[in-house]
Amino acid sequence: MLSQKTIEIVKSTAPVLAEKGVEITKCFYKNLFSSHPELLNIFNHANQAKGRQQTALANTVYAAATYIDQLEVLIPAVKQIAHKHRSLAVKPEHYPIVGEHLLGAIKEVLGDAATDEIINAWAEAYGVIAQVFIDVEKEMYEEATNQTGGWKDFKKFKVVKKVEESAIITSFYLEPSDKTALPAFLPGQYITIRLSIPGETNLLNRQYSLSDAAGQSTFRISVKRESECTPKGKVSNYLHDHINMGDELEVTAPAGDFVLDAEKAAPVYLISGGVGITPMMSMLKTVAASQPKTHSSFAQKIMSMLKTKETAQLNNPVTFVHAAKNGEVHAFHDEVCETIENLQNARRYFVYEQPTSEDYVKKQFNGEGYLDFEKLSSIVKEKEAQFYICGPVEFMKATVINLEKLGVAEENIHYEFFGPALNLKEYEMA
Protein backbone atom coordinates (compact mmCIF):
# COMPACT_ATOMS: atom_id res chain seq x y z
CA MET A 1 0.00 0.00 0.00
CA LEU A 2 1.32 3.44 -0.94
CA SER A 3 2.11 5.98 1.73
CA GLN A 4 0.17 9.22 1.81
CA LYS A 5 3.35 11.13 1.02
CA THR A 6 3.96 9.04 -2.10
CA ILE A 7 0.37 9.58 -3.21
CA GLU A 8 0.67 13.34 -2.77
CA ILE A 9 3.95 13.50 -4.70
CA VAL A 10 2.66 11.39 -7.60
CA LYS A 11 -0.60 13.37 -7.83
CA SER A 12 1.38 16.61 -7.83
CA THR A 13 3.14 15.50 -11.02
CA ALA A 14 -0.12 15.10 -12.98
CA PRO A 15 -0.06 18.64 -14.50
CA VAL A 16 3.51 18.12 -15.70
CA LEU A 17 2.63 14.75 -17.19
CA ALA A 18 -0.34 16.29 -18.98
CA GLU A 19 2.07 18.75 -20.62
CA LYS A 20 5.14 16.56 -21.12
CA GLY A 21 3.58 13.09 -21.30
CA VAL A 22 4.07 12.37 -25.00
CA GLU A 23 7.62 13.74 -24.89
CA ILE A 24 8.37 11.38 -21.99
CA THR A 25 6.84 8.35 -23.70
CA LYS A 26 8.69 9.05 -26.96
CA CYS A 27 11.92 9.12 -24.97
CA PHE A 28 10.84 5.95 -23.16
CA TYR A 29 10.24 3.91 -26.31
CA LYS A 30 13.47 5.13 -27.93
CA ASN A 31 15.55 4.08 -24.94
CA LEU A 32 13.60 0.84 -24.40
CA PHE A 33 14.10 -0.38 -27.96
CA SER A 34 17.72 0.66 -27.94
CA SER A 35 18.43 -1.42 -24.84
CA HIS A 36 15.99 -4.27 -25.58
CA PRO A 37 15.52 -4.68 -29.35
CA GLU A 38 13.99 -8.10 -28.68
CA LEU A 39 10.85 -6.29 -27.46
CA LEU A 40 10.30 -4.63 -30.84
CA ASN A 41 8.18 -7.56 -31.97
CA ILE A 42 5.53 -6.79 -29.34
CA PHE A 43 4.76 -3.38 -30.81
CA ASN A 44 3.14 -2.28 -34.07
CA HIS A 45 5.73 -0.11 -35.82
CA ALA A 46 3.06 1.78 -37.77
CA ASN A 47 1.43 2.87 -34.49
CA GLN A 48 4.85 3.92 -33.26
CA ALA A 49 5.46 5.99 -36.41
CA LYS A 50 2.04 7.67 -36.12
CA GLY A 51 2.63 8.48 -32.45
CA ARG A 52 -0.43 6.52 -31.31
CA GLN A 53 1.49 4.19 -29.01
CA GLN A 54 3.26 7.11 -27.35
CA THR A 55 0.00 9.02 -26.89
CA ALA A 56 -1.80 5.99 -25.47
CA LEU A 57 0.96 5.37 -22.93
CA ALA A 58 1.06 9.07 -22.00
CA ASN A 59 -2.70 8.95 -21.34
CA THR A 60 -2.23 5.87 -19.15
CA VAL A 61 0.60 7.43 -17.14
CA TYR A 62 -1.39 10.63 -16.65
CA ALA A 63 -4.45 8.65 -15.52
CA ALA A 64 -2.27 6.70 -13.07
CA ALA A 65 -0.96 9.94 -11.57
CA THR A 66 -4.47 11.38 -11.30
CA TYR A 67 -6.07 8.30 -9.72
CA ILE A 68 -3.14 6.84 -7.81
CA ASP A 69 -5.25 6.91 -4.65
CA GLN A 70 -8.27 5.38 -6.44
CA LEU A 71 -6.78 2.67 -8.62
CA GLU A 72 -10.14 0.90 -8.80
CA VAL A 73 -11.24 3.68 -11.16
CA LEU A 74 -8.62 2.48 -13.63
CA ILE A 75 -9.66 -1.19 -13.63
CA PRO A 76 -11.79 -1.00 -16.84
CA ALA A 77 -8.85 0.60 -18.69
CA VAL A 78 -6.44 -1.89 -17.11
CA LYS A 79 -8.54 -4.80 -18.33
CA GLN A 80 -8.68 -3.43 -21.86
CA ILE A 81 -4.90 -3.08 -21.97
CA ALA A 82 -4.43 -6.42 -20.22
CA HIS A 83 -6.41 -8.17 -22.97
CA LYS A 84 -3.91 -6.81 -25.51
CA HIS A 85 -0.97 -7.77 -23.29
CA ARG A 86 -2.23 -11.33 -22.84
CA SER A 87 -2.81 -11.62 -26.57
CA LEU A 88 0.76 -10.46 -27.22
CA ALA A 89 2.24 -12.75 -24.54
CA VAL A 90 3.51 -9.89 -22.35
CA LYS A 91 4.94 -11.47 -19.20
CA PRO A 92 5.60 -10.34 -15.59
CA GLU A 93 9.35 -10.16 -16.26
CA HIS A 94 8.74 -7.40 -18.82
CA TYR A 95 7.37 -4.99 -16.20
CA PRO A 96 10.67 -4.23 -14.37
CA ILE A 97 12.26 -3.44 -17.75
CA VAL A 98 9.43 -1.05 -18.61
CA GLY A 99 9.62 0.54 -15.17
CA GLU A 100 13.36 1.16 -15.42
CA HIS A 101 13.06 2.93 -18.77
CA LEU A 102 9.91 4.85 -17.86
CA LEU A 103 11.58 6.33 -14.78
CA GLY A 104 14.68 7.03 -16.85
CA ALA A 105 12.60 8.88 -19.45
CA ILE A 106 10.88 10.98 -16.77
CA LYS A 107 14.28 11.96 -15.42
CA GLU A 108 15.71 12.66 -18.87
CA VAL A 109 12.83 14.87 -20.03
CA LEU A 110 12.17 16.75 -16.78
CA GLY A 111 15.82 17.15 -15.84
CA ASP A 112 16.41 18.77 -12.46
CA ALA A 113 12.66 19.07 -11.91
CA ALA A 114 12.58 15.28 -11.48
CA THR A 115 14.04 15.22 -8.00
CA ASP A 116 15.09 12.05 -6.23
CA GLU A 117 11.94 12.39 -4.13
CA ILE A 118 9.74 12.41 -7.24
CA ILE A 119 11.58 9.52 -8.92
CA ASN A 120 11.44 7.42 -5.76
CA ALA A 121 7.72 8.12 -5.35
CA TRP A 122 7.07 7.11 -8.96
CA ALA A 123 9.19 3.97 -8.55
CA GLU A 124 7.03 2.95 -5.61
CA ALA A 125 3.81 3.82 -7.46
CA TYR A 126 4.91 1.99 -10.60
CA GLY A 127 5.52 -1.16 -8.58
CA VAL A 128 1.94 -1.09 -7.30
CA ILE A 129 0.44 -0.31 -10.72
CA ALA A 130 2.53 -3.01 -12.41
CA GLN A 131 1.32 -5.57 -9.90
CA VAL A 132 -2.29 -4.69 -10.74
CA PHE A 133 -1.59 -5.46 -14.39
CA ILE A 134 0.31 -8.64 -13.56
CA ASP A 135 -2.52 -9.94 -11.36
CA VAL A 136 -5.23 -9.18 -13.95
CA GLU A 137 -3.19 -10.71 -16.76
CA LYS A 138 -2.45 -13.83 -14.68
CA GLU A 139 -6.18 -14.53 -14.50
CA MET A 140 -6.53 -13.98 -18.24
CA TYR A 141 -3.64 -16.34 -19.03
CA GLU A 142 -5.20 -19.03 -16.85
CA GLU A 143 -8.62 -18.58 -18.46
CA ALA A 144 -7.17 -18.75 -21.99
CA THR A 145 -5.17 -21.87 -21.15
CA ASN A 146 -7.77 -23.79 -19.15
CA GLN A 147 -10.83 -23.21 -21.33
CA THR A 148 -12.02 -26.03 -23.60
CA GLY A 149 -9.70 -26.02 -26.61
CA GLY A 150 -7.48 -23.40 -24.98
CA TRP A 151 -3.71 -23.04 -25.02
CA LYS A 152 -0.93 -20.89 -23.59
CA ASP A 153 0.80 -18.16 -25.60
CA PHE A 154 1.25 -19.00 -29.29
CA LYS A 155 0.07 -22.09 -31.18
CA LYS A 156 0.61 -23.07 -34.83
CA PHE A 157 -2.31 -22.67 -37.21
CA LYS A 158 -2.51 -23.58 -40.89
CA VAL A 159 -4.13 -21.43 -43.57
CA VAL A 160 -6.79 -23.67 -45.11
CA LYS A 161 -8.59 -21.05 -47.19
CA LYS A 162 -7.81 -17.59 -48.58
CA VAL A 163 -10.66 -15.45 -49.96
CA GLU A 164 -10.53 -12.01 -51.57
CA GLU A 165 -13.39 -10.06 -50.00
CA SER A 166 -12.74 -6.77 -51.83
CA ALA A 167 -9.96 -5.01 -53.73
CA ILE A 168 -8.10 -4.39 -50.46
CA ILE A 169 -9.42 -6.93 -47.90
CA THR A 170 -8.64 -10.66 -47.90
CA SER A 171 -9.89 -13.30 -45.46
CA PHE A 172 -7.67 -16.05 -44.08
CA TYR A 173 -9.29 -19.17 -42.60
CA LEU A 174 -7.03 -20.64 -39.92
CA GLU A 175 -7.17 -24.20 -38.59
CA PRO A 176 -5.10 -25.58 -35.68
CA SER A 177 -2.17 -27.51 -37.14
CA ASP A 178 -2.74 -30.22 -34.54
CA LYS A 179 -6.40 -30.54 -35.63
CA THR A 180 -7.72 -29.86 -32.10
CA ALA A 181 -11.05 -28.12 -31.51
CA LEU A 182 -11.16 -24.34 -31.26
CA PRO A 183 -12.16 -22.53 -28.06
CA ALA A 184 -15.31 -20.43 -27.93
CA PHE A 185 -14.92 -16.68 -28.26
CA LEU A 186 -17.15 -13.66 -27.86
CA PRO A 187 -18.34 -11.72 -30.93
CA GLY A 188 -15.96 -8.77 -31.39
CA GLN A 189 -12.80 -10.40 -30.00
CA TYR A 190 -9.47 -10.64 -31.81
CA ILE A 191 -6.43 -12.89 -32.08
CA THR A 192 -2.74 -12.10 -32.44
CA ILE A 193 -0.79 -13.67 -35.27
CA ARG A 194 3.00 -13.95 -35.22
CA LEU A 195 5.14 -14.54 -38.27
CA SER A 196 8.65 -14.19 -39.63
CA ILE A 197 9.20 -11.86 -42.59
CA PRO A 198 12.43 -12.10 -44.62
CA GLY A 199 14.71 -9.17 -43.85
CA GLU A 200 13.16 -8.54 -40.44
CA THR A 201 15.33 -9.32 -37.42
CA ASN A 202 12.42 -10.02 -35.08
CA LEU A 203 9.20 -11.95 -35.36
CA LEU A 204 6.26 -9.59 -35.94
CA ASN A 205 2.93 -9.62 -34.09
CA ARG A 206 -0.37 -8.16 -35.28
CA GLN A 207 -3.86 -8.30 -33.81
CA TYR A 208 -6.84 -8.96 -36.09
CA SER A 209 -10.52 -9.16 -35.25
CA LEU A 210 -12.27 -12.47 -35.81
CA SER A 211 -14.77 -11.86 -38.61
CA ASP A 212 -17.13 -14.80 -38.16
CA ALA A 213 -19.18 -16.32 -35.37
CA ALA A 214 -17.73 -18.90 -33.02
CA GLY A 215 -18.53 -22.58 -33.41
CA GLN A 216 -16.69 -23.08 -36.70
CA SER A 217 -13.76 -25.40 -37.38
CA THR A 218 -11.61 -22.38 -38.30
CA PHE A 219 -10.89 -18.84 -37.19
CA ARG A 220 -11.50 -16.23 -39.89
CA ILE A 221 -9.52 -13.00 -39.96
CA SER A 222 -10.02 -10.41 -42.69
CA VAL A 223 -7.00 -8.24 -43.37
CA LYS A 224 -6.82 -4.89 -45.14
CA ARG A 225 -3.76 -4.32 -47.31
CA GLU A 226 -2.21 -1.20 -45.75
CA SER A 227 -0.42 0.16 -48.82
CA GLU A 228 -1.40 3.84 -48.81
CA CYS A 229 -0.28 4.68 -45.27
CA THR A 230 3.19 5.71 -44.15
CA PRO A 231 4.90 3.45 -43.28
CA LYS A 232 3.19 0.75 -45.31
CA GLY A 233 1.89 -2.21 -43.36
CA LYS A 234 4.66 -4.82 -43.30
CA VAL A 235 2.48 -7.63 -42.00
CA SER A 236 -0.69 -6.88 -43.96
CA ASN A 237 1.16 -6.69 -47.28
CA TYR A 238 3.15 -9.83 -46.51
CA LEU A 239 -0.04 -11.72 -45.68
CA HIS A 240 -1.67 -10.64 -48.94
CA ASP A 241 1.34 -11.31 -51.13
CA HIS A 242 3.08 -14.32 -49.58
CA ILE A 243 0.79 -16.27 -47.22
CA ASN A 244 -1.26 -18.93 -48.98
CA MET A 245 -3.09 -22.17 -48.29
CA GLY A 246 -0.89 -24.60 -46.42
CA ASP A 247 1.28 -21.94 -44.79
CA GLU A 248 1.50 -21.77 -41.01
CA LEU A 249 1.09 -18.83 -38.65
CA GLU A 250 1.41 -18.67 -34.88
CA VAL A 251 -1.76 -17.59 -33.10
CA THR A 252 -2.82 -16.67 -29.55
CA ALA A 253 -6.22 -17.47 -28.05
CA PRO A 254 -9.03 -14.89 -28.62
CA ALA A 255 -8.98 -11.79 -26.43
CA GLY A 256 -10.63 -8.39 -26.14
CA ASP A 257 -13.46 -6.65 -24.29
CA PHE A 258 -15.19 -4.92 -27.22
CA VAL A 259 -17.92 -7.55 -27.42
CA LEU A 260 -21.63 -7.78 -28.03
CA ASP A 261 -23.49 -7.63 -24.72
CA ALA A 262 -26.19 -10.27 -25.10
CA GLU A 263 -27.83 -9.57 -21.75
CA LYS A 264 -29.18 -6.10 -22.54
CA ALA A 265 -32.71 -6.11 -23.92
CA ALA A 266 -32.28 -3.33 -26.46
CA PRO A 267 -32.01 -2.88 -30.23
CA VAL A 268 -28.51 -3.20 -31.70
CA TYR A 269 -26.74 -0.86 -34.13
CA LEU A 270 -23.52 -2.17 -35.70
CA ILE A 271 -21.76 0.81 -37.30
CA SER A 272 -18.48 0.41 -39.18
CA GLY A 273 -16.15 2.17 -41.56
CA GLY A 274 -13.70 0.41 -43.88
CA VAL A 275 -12.03 -2.64 -42.38
CA GLY A 276 -13.83 -1.85 -39.12
CA ILE A 277 -16.51 -4.13 -40.52
CA THR A 278 -14.59 -7.22 -39.30
CA PRO A 279 -15.74 -7.38 -35.63
CA MET A 280 -19.23 -6.35 -36.78
CA MET A 281 -19.37 -9.42 -39.01
CA SER A 282 -18.69 -11.61 -35.97
CA MET A 283 -21.46 -9.84 -34.05
CA LEU A 284 -23.93 -10.05 -36.93
CA LYS A 285 -23.20 -13.72 -37.67
CA THR A 286 -23.51 -14.54 -33.96
CA VAL A 287 -26.96 -12.93 -33.86
CA ALA A 288 -27.96 -14.87 -36.98
CA ALA A 289 -26.70 -18.17 -35.57
CA SER A 290 -28.52 -17.68 -32.28
CA GLN A 291 -32.02 -16.60 -33.28
CA PRO A 292 -34.86 -19.03 -32.47
CA LYS A 293 -35.52 -20.06 -36.06
CA THR A 294 -31.94 -21.29 -36.34
CA HIS A 295 -32.19 -23.56 -33.31
CA SER A 296 -29.35 -26.03 -33.59
CA SER A 297 -26.47 -27.39 -31.59
CA PHE A 298 -24.52 -24.37 -32.83
CA ALA A 299 -27.11 -21.96 -31.42
CA GLN A 300 -26.96 -23.81 -28.12
CA LYS A 301 -23.18 -23.38 -28.07
CA ILE A 302 -23.52 -19.65 -28.74
CA MET A 303 -26.00 -19.19 -25.89
CA SER A 304 -23.77 -21.17 -23.55
CA MET A 305 -20.73 -19.17 -24.61
CA LEU A 306 -22.48 -15.89 -23.90
CA LYS A 307 -23.31 -17.18 -20.40
CA THR A 308 -26.96 -16.20 -20.51
CA LYS A 309 -30.12 -18.23 -20.95
CA GLU A 310 -32.22 -15.46 -22.40
CA THR A 311 -29.69 -13.78 -24.76
CA ALA A 312 -32.10 -10.87 -24.97
CA GLN A 313 -29.88 -8.82 -27.29
CA LEU A 314 -29.78 -11.58 -29.90
CA ASN A 315 -33.55 -11.45 -30.49
CA ASN A 316 -33.88 -7.67 -30.73
CA PRO A 317 -33.85 -5.48 -33.86
CA VAL A 318 -30.46 -5.20 -35.57
CA THR A 319 -29.37 -2.34 -37.83
CA PHE A 320 -26.13 -2.87 -39.76
CA VAL A 321 -24.53 0.36 -41.03
CA HIS A 322 -21.34 0.40 -43.09
CA ALA A 323 -19.39 3.21 -44.75
CA ALA A 324 -16.89 2.55 -47.55
CA LYS A 325 -15.26 4.52 -50.34
CA ASN A 326 -17.12 2.50 -52.98
CA GLY A 327 -18.22 -1.01 -53.91
CA GLU A 328 -14.74 -2.08 -55.02
CA VAL A 329 -13.39 -1.85 -51.47
CA HIS A 330 -16.61 -2.84 -49.68
CA ALA A 331 -15.99 -6.27 -48.13
CA PHE A 332 -18.79 -8.71 -47.23
CA HIS A 333 -21.51 -6.86 -49.15
CA ASP A 334 -23.33 -10.00 -50.27
CA GLU A 335 -22.69 -11.86 -47.01
CA VAL A 336 -24.24 -9.04 -44.99
CA CYS A 337 -27.25 -8.77 -47.30
CA GLU A 338 -27.90 -12.51 -47.16
CA THR A 339 -27.53 -12.60 -43.38
CA ILE A 340 -29.83 -9.60 -42.89
CA GLU A 341 -32.49 -11.15 -45.16
CA ASN A 342 -32.53 -14.29 -43.04
CA LEU A 343 -32.92 -12.45 -39.74
CA GLN A 344 -36.31 -11.84 -38.20
CA ASN A 345 -35.94 -8.12 -37.53
CA ALA A 346 -32.94 -6.55 -39.24
CA ARG A 347 -32.05 -3.91 -41.80
CA ARG A 348 -28.87 -2.61 -43.38
CA TYR A 349 -27.63 0.73 -44.70
CA PHE A 350 -24.53 1.20 -46.88
CA VAL A 351 -23.04 4.62 -47.59
CA TYR A 352 -20.35 5.15 -50.25
CA GLU A 353 -18.11 8.19 -50.20
CA GLN A 354 -17.32 8.05 -53.94
CA PRO A 355 -19.57 5.52 -55.72
CA THR A 356 -18.36 4.13 -59.05
CA SER A 357 -20.51 3.99 -62.16
CA GLU A 358 -20.95 0.25 -61.51
CA ASP A 359 -22.22 1.00 -57.99
CA TYR A 360 -24.97 3.17 -59.49
CA VAL A 361 -25.90 0.44 -61.95
CA LYS A 362 -26.04 -2.27 -59.27
CA LYS A 363 -27.80 0.05 -56.80
CA GLN A 364 -25.95 -1.63 -53.96
CA PHE A 365 -25.66 1.38 -51.66
CA ASN A 366 -28.18 3.57 -49.83
CA GLY A 367 -26.43 6.88 -49.36
CA GLU A 368 -23.65 8.90 -50.97
CA GLY A 369 -20.93 10.91 -49.24
CA TYR A 370 -19.99 10.55 -45.57
CA LEU A 371 -21.94 8.94 -42.76
CA ASP A 372 -22.78 12.37 -41.34
CA PHE A 373 -25.30 13.68 -38.83
CA GLU A 374 -28.08 13.95 -41.39
CA LYS A 375 -27.71 10.34 -42.52
CA LEU A 376 -27.42 9.01 -38.96
CA SER A 377 -30.51 10.94 -37.90
CA SER A 378 -32.50 9.20 -40.65
CA ILE A 379 -31.10 5.76 -39.73
CA VAL A 380 -31.30 5.81 -35.94
CA LYS A 381 -34.84 5.02 -34.84
CA GLU A 382 -34.23 3.85 -31.26
CA LYS A 383 -32.00 6.13 -29.18
CA GLU A 384 -32.09 3.74 -26.23
CA ALA A 385 -30.34 1.10 -28.39
CA GLN A 386 -26.83 -0.26 -27.93
CA PHE A 387 -24.39 1.16 -30.50
CA TYR A 388 -21.17 -0.64 -31.50
CA ILE A 389 -18.69 1.34 -33.63
CA CYS A 390 -15.44 0.34 -35.31
CA GLY A 391 -13.34 1.96 -38.02
CA PRO A 392 -10.75 4.69 -38.59
CA VAL A 393 -10.30 6.98 -35.60
CA GLU A 394 -11.72 10.02 -37.40
CA PHE A 395 -14.78 8.02 -38.44
CA MET A 396 -15.40 6.81 -34.90
CA LYS A 397 -14.97 10.24 -33.36
CA ALA A 398 -17.41 11.84 -35.82
CA THR A 399 -19.92 9.01 -35.32
CA VAL A 400 -19.75 9.20 -31.52
CA ILE A 401 -20.21 12.99 -31.58
CA ASN A 402 -23.18 12.72 -33.94
CA LEU A 403 -24.84 9.97 -31.91
CA GLU A 404 -24.53 12.08 -28.77
CA LYS A 405 -26.06 15.02 -30.66
CA LEU A 406 -28.97 12.72 -31.46
CA GLY A 407 -29.46 12.11 -27.75
CA VAL A 408 -27.83 8.70 -27.41
CA ALA A 409 -26.45 8.21 -23.89
CA GLU A 410 -22.68 7.85 -23.59
CA GLU A 411 -22.99 4.51 -21.76
CA ASN A 412 -24.84 3.05 -24.77
CA ILE A 413 -21.99 3.80 -27.18
CA HIS A 414 -19.19 1.22 -27.47
CA TYR A 415 -16.19 1.45 -29.78
CA GLU A 416 -12.96 -0.35 -30.58
CA PHE A 417 -9.60 0.98 -31.74
CA PHE A 418 -7.26 -0.77 -34.12
CA GLY A 419 -4.04 -0.47 -32.15
CA PRO A 420 -3.44 1.29 -28.83
CA ALA A 421 -6.40 2.83 -27.07
CA LEU A 422 -6.62 6.60 -27.29
CA ASN A 423 -8.92 9.14 -25.68
CA LEU A 424 -11.38 9.45 -28.57
CA LYS A 425 -12.96 12.68 -27.35
CA GLU A 426 -9.55 14.38 -27.22
CA TYR A 427 -8.21 12.92 -30.48
CA GLU A 428 -7.27 15.70 -32.89
CA MET A 429 -8.55 15.02 -36.38
CA ALA A 430 -6.29 15.96 -39.27
Side-chain angles (χ1 to χ4, degrees):
M1 187 172 179
L2 296 174
S3 68
Q4 185 59 36
K5 183 177 181 181
T6 294
I7 290 171
E8 291 172 359
I9 293 172
V10 170
K11 287 179 75 72
S12 73
T13 64
V16 178
L17 292 174
E19 179 184 353
K20 299 282 190 178
V22 174
E23 187 178 348
I24 290 170
T25 55
K26 284 182 178 179
C27 178
F28 159 75
Y29 281 116
K30 176 176 68 70
N31 294 342
L32 175 69
F33 296 148
S34 177
S35 299
H36 295 274
E38 73 278 7
L39 296 181
L40 278 164
N41 69 303
I42 294 178
F43 298 90
N44 185 312
H45 297 185
N47 288 329
Q48 286 283 321
K50 294 174 183 176
R52 289 185 178 180
Q53 197 84 51
Q54 297 90 330
T55 301
L57 179 58
N59 289 343
T60 302
V61 174
Y62 172 72
T66 303
Y67 297 105
I68 192 64
D69 55 343
Q70 305 173 63
L71 289 179
E72 65 278 4
V73 173
L74 302 179
I75 291 300
V78 168
K79 287 185 175 179
Q80 182 186 44
I81 297 169
H83 272 287
K84 294 182 181 294
H85 284 181
R86 200 278 294 157
S87 183
L88 290 165
V90 172
K91 297 297 174 62
E93 54 264 31
H94 291 137
Y95 281 93
I97 298 172
V98 168
E100 174 190 351
H101 289 283
L102 182 59
L103 294 175
I106 292 174
K107 182 68 176 176
E108 185 174 336
V109 171
L110 299 186
D112 293 340
T115 63
D116 289 344
E117 187 177 49
I118 287 175
I119 294 298
N120 291 337
W122 260 104
E124 184 182 349
Y126 176 81
V128 170
I129 296 166
Q131 194 59 51
V132 171
F133 275 94
I134 290 169
D135 291 343
V136 170
E137 289 162 19
K138 181 176 182 292
E139 291 182 7
M140 291 182 176
Y141 277 110
E142 291 174 350
E143 182 179 355
T145 303
N146 297 331
Q147 66 181 321
T148 302
W151 68 93
K152 182 179 181 181
D153 297 341
F154 287 90
K155 177 177 176 175
K156 288 185 178 180
F157 275 64
K158 183 177 292 186
V159 178
V160 295
K161 190 177 179 182
K162 182 178 179 181
V163 178
E164 186 176 295
E165 307 289 1
S166 76
I168 58 173
I169 295 177
T170 293
S171 287
F172 297 84
Y173 291 74
L174 309 176
E175 178 184 82
S177 296
D178 61 8
K179 303 293 186 179
T180 54
L182 291 173
F185 63 86
L186 296 173
Q189 290 192 306
Y190 53 82
I191 58 174
T192 295
I193 67 166
R194 182 169 71 180
L195 73 165
S196 174
I197 294 180
E200 292 292 324
T201 304
N202 296 300
L203 294 170
L204 297 179
N205 296 327
R206 291 295 184 273
Q207 293 170 327
Y208 293 106
S209 296
L210 293 158
S211 58
D212 205 347
Q216 318 295 323
S217 61
T218 59
F219 285 152
R220 182 175 76 174
I221 59 170
S222 304
V223 181
K224 176 188 174 186
R225 181 193 289 275
E226 299 289 355
S227 58
E228 297 182 0
C229 59
T230 303
K232 293 182 179 180
K234 291 180 182 178
V235 174
S236 69
N237 282 279
Y238 189 81
L239 287 170
H240 276 252
D241 295 335
H242 300 289
I243 297 299
N244 297 298
M245 288 178 57
D247 291 332
E248 283 189 327
L249 302 170
E250 292 184 292
V251 175
T252 57
D257 61 352
F258 174 68
V259 298
L260 184 69
D261 186 344
E263 295 184 347
K264 290 183 179 177
V268 182
Y269 282 78
L270 305 176
I271 305 175
S272 58
V275 74
I277 196 172
T278 53
M280 304 307 176
M281 290 303 297
S282 181
M283 294 182 186
L284 179 67
K285 298 296 284 291
T286 299
V287 171
S290 307
Q291 286 205 346
K293 69 175 183 178
T294 64
H295 275 165
S296 64
S297 59
F298 178 37
Q300 304 271 333
K301 288 180 182 178
I302 291 292
M303 292 182 181
S304 174
M305 177 189 69
L306 294 171
K307 299 177 182 178
T308 172
K309 295 180 180 179
E310 297 298 326
T311 55
Q313 188 88 290
L314 301 179
N315 294 317
N316 278 294
V318 177
T319 301
F320 193 99
V321 184
H322 183 64
K325 185 175 183 180
N326 52 49
E328 293 180 357
V329 298
H330 181 181
F332 305 114
H333 178 282
D334 293 345
E335 189 172 334
V336 169
C337 290
E338 182 180 351
T339 304
I340 292 291
E341 288 174 4
N342 289 326
L343 286 172
Q344 294 179 340
N345 191 359
R347 60 195 177 106
R348 51 89 175 171
Y349 186 97
F350 300 144
V351 56
Y352 288 173
E353 179 187 347
Q354 298 174 10
T356 64
S357 56
E358 186 175 358
D359 293 332
Y360 286 110
V361 172
K362 291 184 176 180
K363 298 179 180 179
Q364 62 180 15
F365 66 99
N366 308 93
E368 184 174 349
Y370 292 107
L371 183 62
D372 53 20
F373 178 81
E374 183 179 356
K375 290 185 180 67
L376 273 176
S377 63
S378 68
I379 296 169
V380 175
K381 305 300 182 184
E382 307 97 343
K383 295 178 183 163
E384 74 284 358
Q386 294 295 310
F387 294 81
Y388 298 85
I389 308 166
C390 190
V393 180
E394 293 87 349
F395 169 85
M396 290 194 296
K397 179 170 184 176
T399 302
V400 169
I401 290 173
N402 286 330
L403 286 175
E404 290 182 345
K405 284 182 181 177
L406 285 171
V408 177
E410 183 178 357
E411 61 267 23
N412 292 339
I413 301 174
H414 318 278
Y415 52 85
E416 171 81 314
F417 281 100
F418 292 137
L422 300 171
N423 186 329
L424 189 61
K425 297 289 186 66
E426 296 179 2
Y427 178 80
E428 295 295 331
M429 290 190 285

